[in-house]
Coordinates of all heavy atoms in Angstrom, one line a residue:
Chain B
L785 N -18.5 -22.8 -8.5 CA -19.4 -24.0 -8.0 C -20.4 -24.4 -9.0 O -20.7 -25.5 -9.2 CB -20.0 -23.5 -6.6 CG -20.6 -24.7 -5.8 CD1 -19.7 -25.8 -5.6 CD2 -21.2 -24.1 -4.5
A786 N -21.0 -23.4 -9.7 CA -22.0 -23.7 -10.7 C -21.4 -24.6 -11.8 O -22.0 -25.5 -12.3 CB -22.6 -22.4 -11.3
G787 N -20.2 -24.2 -12.2 CA -19.5 -25.0 -13.2 C -19.2 -26.4 -12.7 O -19.5 -27.4 -13.5
L788 N -18.8 -26.6 -11.5 CA -18.5 -27.9 -11.0 C -19.8 -28.7 -10.9 O -19.8 -29.9 -11.2 CB -17.9 -27.8 -9.5 CG -16.4 -27.2 -9.5 CD1 -16.0 -27.0 -8.1 CD2 -15.5 -28.2 -10.2
L789 N -20.9 -28.1 -10.4 CA -22.1 -28.8 -10.2 C -22.7 -29.2 -11.5 O -23.5 -30.2 -11.6 CB -23.1 -28.0 -9.4 CG -22.7 -27.8 -7.9 CD1 -23.7 -26.8 -7.2 CD2 -22.7 -29.1 -7.2
S790 N -22.4 -28.5 -12.6 CA -23.0 -28.9 -13.9 C -22.2 -30.0 -14.5 O -22.7 -30.5 -15.6 CB -23.1 -27.6 -14.8 OG -21.7 -27.3 -15.1
N791 N -21.1 -30.4 -14.0 CA -20.4 -31.5 -14.5 C -20.6 -32.8 -13.8 O -20.2 -32.9 -12.6 CB -18.9 -31.1 -14.5 CG -18.0 -32.1 -15.2 OD1 -18.4 -33.3 -15.3 ND2 -16.9 -31.6 -15.7
V792 N -21.3 -33.7 -14.4 CA -21.6 -35.0 -13.7 C -20.4 -35.8 -13.3 O -20.5 -36.6 -12.4 CB -22.5 -35.9 -14.6 CG1 -23.9 -35.4 -14.7 CG2 -21.9 -36.0 -16.0
N793 N -19.3 -35.5 -13.9 CA -18.1 -36.2 -13.5 C -17.5 -35.7 -12.2 O -16.7 -36.4 -11.6 CB -17.0 -36.1 -14.6 CG -17.5 -36.7 -15.9 OD1 -18.1 -37.8 -15.8 ND2 -17.2 -36.1 -17.0
V794 N -18.0 -34.6 -11.7 CA -17.5 -34.1 -10.5 C -18.5 -34.6 -9.4 O -19.6 -34.2 -9.3 CB -17.5 -32.5 -10.5 CG1 -17.0 -32.0 -9.1 CG2 -16.5 -32.0 -11.6
K795 N -17.9 -35.4 -8.5 CA -18.8 -36.0 -7.5 C -18.3 -35.5 -6.1 O -17.1 -35.7 -5.8 CB -18.8 -37.5 -7.6 CG -19.4 -38.0 -8.9 CD -19.7 -39.5 -8.9 CE -20.4 -39.9 -10.1 NZ -19.7 -39.8 -11.4
F796 N -19.2 -34.9 -5.3 CA -18.8 -34.5 -4.0 C -19.2 -35.5 -3.0 O -20.4 -35.9 -2.9 CB -19.5 -33.2 -3.7 CG -19.0 -32.0 -4.4 CD1 -19.7 -31.6 -5.6 CD2 -17.9 -31.3 -4.0 CE1 -19.2 -30.5 -6.3 CE2 -17.4 -30.2 -4.7 CZ -18.1 -29.7 -5.9
S797 N -18.3 -35.9 -2.1 CA -18.6 -36.8 -1.0 C -19.3 -35.9 0.1 O -19.2 -34.7 0.0 CB -17.4 -37.5 -0.4 OG -16.6 -36.5 0.2
L798 N -19.9 -36.5 1.1 CA -20.5 -35.8 2.1 C -19.5 -34.9 2.8 O -19.8 -33.7 3.1 CB -21.2 -36.7 3.1 CG -22.0 -36.0 4.3 CD1 -23.0 -35.0 3.8 CD2 -22.7 -37.1 5.2
G799 N -18.3 -35.4 3.1 CA -17.3 -34.7 3.8 C -16.8 -33.5 2.9 O -16.6 -32.4 3.4
E800 N -16.8 -33.7 1.6 CA -16.4 -32.6 0.7 C -17.5 -31.5 0.7 O -17.2 -30.3 0.6 CB -16.2 -33.1 -0.7 CG -14.8 -33.9 -0.7 CD -14.7 -34.8 -1.9 OE1 -15.7 -35.0 -2.6 OE2 -13.6 -35.4 -2.1
I801 N -18.8 -31.9 0.7 CA -19.9 -30.9 0.7 C -19.8 -30.1 2.0 O -19.9 -28.9 2.0 CB -21.2 -31.7 0.6 CG1 -21.4 -32.3 -0.8 CG2 -22.4 -30.7 1.0 CD1 -22.7 -33.0 -1.0
K802 N -19.5 -30.8 3.1 CA -19.3 -30.1 4.4 C -18.2 -29.1 4.3 O -18.3 -28.0 4.8 CB -19.0 -31.1 5.5 CG -20.2 -32.0 5.9 CD -19.9 -32.8 7.1 CE -21.1 -33.8 7.4 NZ -20.9 -34.5 8.6
K803 N -17.1 -29.5 3.6 CA -16.0 -28.5 3.5 C -16.4 -27.3 2.7 O -16.0 -26.2 3.0 CB -14.8 -29.3 2.8 CG -13.5 -28.5 2.8 CD -12.9 -28.4 4.2 CE -11.6 -27.7 4.2 NZ -11.0 -27.6 5.6
V804 N -17.1 -27.5 1.6 CA -17.6 -26.4 0.8 C -18.4 -25.5 1.6 O -18.2 -24.3 1.7 CB -18.4 -26.9 -0.5 CG1 -19.1 -25.8 -1.1 CG2 -17.5 -27.6 -1.5
M805 N -19.4 -26.0 2.3 CA -20.3 -25.2 3.1 C -19.6 -24.5 4.3 O -19.9 -23.4 4.6 CB -21.5 -26.1 3.6 CG -22.5 -26.4 2.5 SD -23.0 -25.0 1.5 CE -23.8 -23.9 2.7
Q806 N -18.7 -25.3 4.9 CA -18.0 -24.7 6.0 C -17.1 -23.4 5.5 O -17.2 -22.4 6.1 CB -17.0 -25.7 6.6 CG -16.4 -25.3 7.9 CD -15.6 -26.4 8.5 OE1 -14.8 -27.0 7.8 NE2 -15.8 -26.7 9.8
Q807 N -16.5 -23.6 4.4 CA -15.7 -22.4 3.9 C -16.7 -21.3 3.4 O -16.3 -20.1 3.7 CB -14.9 -22.9 2.7 CG -13.8 -23.9 3.0 CD -12.9 -24.2 1.8 OE1 -12.1 -23.4 1.4 NE2 -13.1 -25.3 1.2
L808 N -17.8 -21.7 2.8 CA -18.7 -20.6 2.4 C -19.2 -19.9 3.6 O -19.3 -18.6 3.6 CB -19.9 -21.3 1.6 CG -20.9 -20.4 1.0 CD1 -21.3 -21.0 -0.4 CD2 -22.1 -20.2 1.8
L809 N -19.6 -20.6 4.7 CA -20.1 -19.9 5.9 C -19.0 -19.1 6.6 O -19.2 -18.0 7.1 CB -20.7 -20.9 6.8 CG -22.0 -21.6 6.3 CD1 -22.4 -22.8 7.1 CD2 -23.2 -20.6 6.3
N810 N -17.8 -19.6 6.5 CA -16.6 -18.9 7.1 C -16.5 -17.5 6.3 O -16.3 -16.5 7.0 CB -15.3 -19.7 6.9 CG -15.0 -20.4 8.1 OD1 -15.2 -20.0 9.3 ND2 -14.3 -21.6 8.0
G811 N -16.6 -17.6 5.0 CA -16.5 -16.3 4.3 C -17.6 -15.4 4.6 O -17.4 -14.2 4.8
L812 N -18.8 -15.9 4.7 CA -20.0 -15.1 5.1 C -19.9 -14.5 6.5 O -20.2 -13.3 6.7 CB -21.3 -15.9 4.9 CG -21.8 -16.1 3.5 CD1 -23.1 -16.9 3.6 CD2 -22.1 -14.7 2.8
Y813 N -19.4 -15.3 7.4 CA -19.2 -14.9 8.8 C -18.2 -13.7 8.7 O -18.4 -12.7 9.4 CB -18.6 -16.0 9.7 CG -18.3 -15.5 11.0 CD1 -19.3 -15.3 12.0 CD2 -17.0 -15.2 11.4 CE1 -19.0 -14.8 13.2 CE2 -16.7 -14.8 12.7 CZ -17.7 -14.6 13.6 OH -17.4 -14.1 14.8
Y814 N -17.1 -13.8 8.0 CA -16.1 -12.7 7.9 C -16.7 -11.5 7.3 O -16.6 -10.4 7.8 CB -14.9 -13.2 7.1 CG -13.9 -12.1 6.8 CD1 -13.0 -11.7 7.8 CD2 -13.9 -11.5 5.6 CE1 -12.2 -10.7 7.6 CE2 -12.9 -10.5 5.4 CZ -12.1 -10.1 6.4 OH -11.2 -9.1 6.1
I815 N -17.4 -11.6 6.1 CA -17.9 -10.4 5.5 C -19.0 -9.7 6.4 O -19.0 -8.5 6.5 CB -18.3 -10.5 4.1 CG1 -19.6 -11.3 3.9 CG2 -17.2 -11.1 3.2 CD1 -20.2 -11.2 2.5
H816 N -19.8 -10.5 7.0 CA -20.9 -10.0 7.8 C -20.3 -9.3 9.0 O -20.8 -8.3 9.5 CB -21.9 -11.0 8.2 CG -22.7 -11.5 7.1 ND1 -23.5 -12.7 7.1 CD2 -22.9 -11.0 5.8 CE1 -24.1 -12.8 5.9 NE2 -23.8 -11.8 5.2
S817 N -19.2 -9.9 9.6 CA -18.6 -9.2 10.7 C -18.0 -7.9 10.3 O -17.8 -7.0 11.2 CB -17.4 -10.1 11.3 OG -17.8 -11.4 11.5
N818 N -17.6 -7.8 9.1 CA -17.1 -6.5 8.6 C -18.2 -5.6 8.1 O -18.0 -4.6 7.3 CB -16.1 -6.7 7.5 CG -14.8 -7.1 8.1 OD1 -14.0 -6.2 8.6 ND2 -14.4 -8.4 8.1
K819 N -19.5 -6.0 8.4 CA -20.6 -5.1 8.1 C -20.8 -5.0 6.5 O -21.1 -3.9 6.0 CB -20.5 -3.7 8.7 CG -20.5 -3.8 10.2 CD -21.9 -3.7 10.8 CE -22.0 -3.9 12.3 NZ -21.9 -5.4 12.7
I820 N -20.6 -6.0 5.8 CA -20.8 -6.1 4.4 C -21.8 -7.1 4.0 O -21.8 -8.2 4.6 CB -19.5 -6.4 3.7 CG1 -18.4 -5.4 4.0 CG2 -19.7 -6.5 2.1 CD1 -18.6 -4.0 3.4
L821 N -22.7 -6.7 3.2 CA -23.7 -7.7 2.7 C -23.2 -8.1 1.2 O -22.9 -7.1 0.5 CB -25.1 -7.1 2.6 CG -25.8 -6.6 3.8 CD1 -27.1 -6.0 3.5 CD2 -25.9 -7.8 4.8
H822 N -23.3 -9.3 0.9 CA -22.9 -9.7 -0.5 C -23.9 -9.4 -1.5 O -23.7 -8.8 -2.5 CB -22.5 -11.2 -0.5 CG -21.9 -11.6 -1.8 ND1 -22.7 -11.9 -2.9 CD2 -20.6 -11.9 -2.2 CE1 -21.9 -12.3 -3.9 NE2 -20.7 -12.3 -3.5
R823 N -25.1 -9.8 -1.2 CA -26.3 -9.5 -2.0 C -26.4 -10.1 -3.4 O -27.2 -9.8 -4.2 CB -26.6 -8.0 -2.1 CG -26.7 -7.2 -0.8 CD -27.4 -5.9 -0.9 NE -26.7 -5.0 -1.8 CZ -27.2 -3.8 -2.1 NH1 -28.2 -3.3 -1.5 NH2 -26.5 -3.0 -2.9
D824 N -25.5 -11.0 -3.6 CA -25.6 -11.8 -4.9 C -25.0 -13.2 -4.7 O -24.3 -13.7 -5.6 CB -24.9 -11.1 -6.0 CG -25.4 -11.5 -7.4 OD1 -26.4 -12.2 -7.5 OD2 -24.7 -11.2 -8.4
M825 N -25.5 -13.8 -3.7 CA -25.1 -15.2 -3.4 C -25.7 -16.1 -4.5 O -26.9 -16.1 -4.7 CB -25.5 -15.7 -2.0 CG -24.8 -15.0 -0.9 SD -23.0 -15.4 -0.9 CE -23.1 -17.1 -0.4
K826 N -24.9 -16.9 -5.1 CA -25.3 -17.9 -6.0 C -24.1 -18.8 -6.4 O -23.0 -18.3 -6.2 CB -25.9 -17.3 -7.3 CG -25.0 -16.4 -8.1 CD -25.8 -16.0 -9.4 CE -25.0 -14.9 -10.1 NZ -25.7 -14.4 -11.3
A827 N -24.4 -20.0 -6.9 CA -23.3 -20.9 -7.1 C -22.3 -20.4 -8.0 O -21.0 -20.6 -7.8 CB -23.9 -22.2 -7.6
A828 N -22.7 -19.5 -9.0 CA -21.7 -19.0 -10.0 C -20.8 -18.0 -9.3 O -19.7 -17.7 -9.9 CB -22.4 -18.4 -11.1

Side-chain angles (χ1 to χ4, degrees):
Chain B
L785 192 54
L788 288 172
L789 290 173
S790 69
N791 185 334
V792 284
N793 297 318
V794 178
K795 297 190 171 71
F796 290 96
S797 69
L798 182 56
E800 286 160 353
I801 291 178
K802 289 184 183 185
K803 188 71 176 182
V804 168
M805 285 313 296
Q806 193 176 45
Q807 295 186 73
L808 186 142
L809 291 166
N810 262 328
L812 283 178
Y813 175 77
Y814 173 77
I815 70 165
H816 291 163
S817 309
N818 279 284
K819 297 273 172 278
I820 300 293
L821 299 178
H822 186 282
R823 302 202 300 182
D824 198 13
M825 289 297 291
K826 58 176 172 182

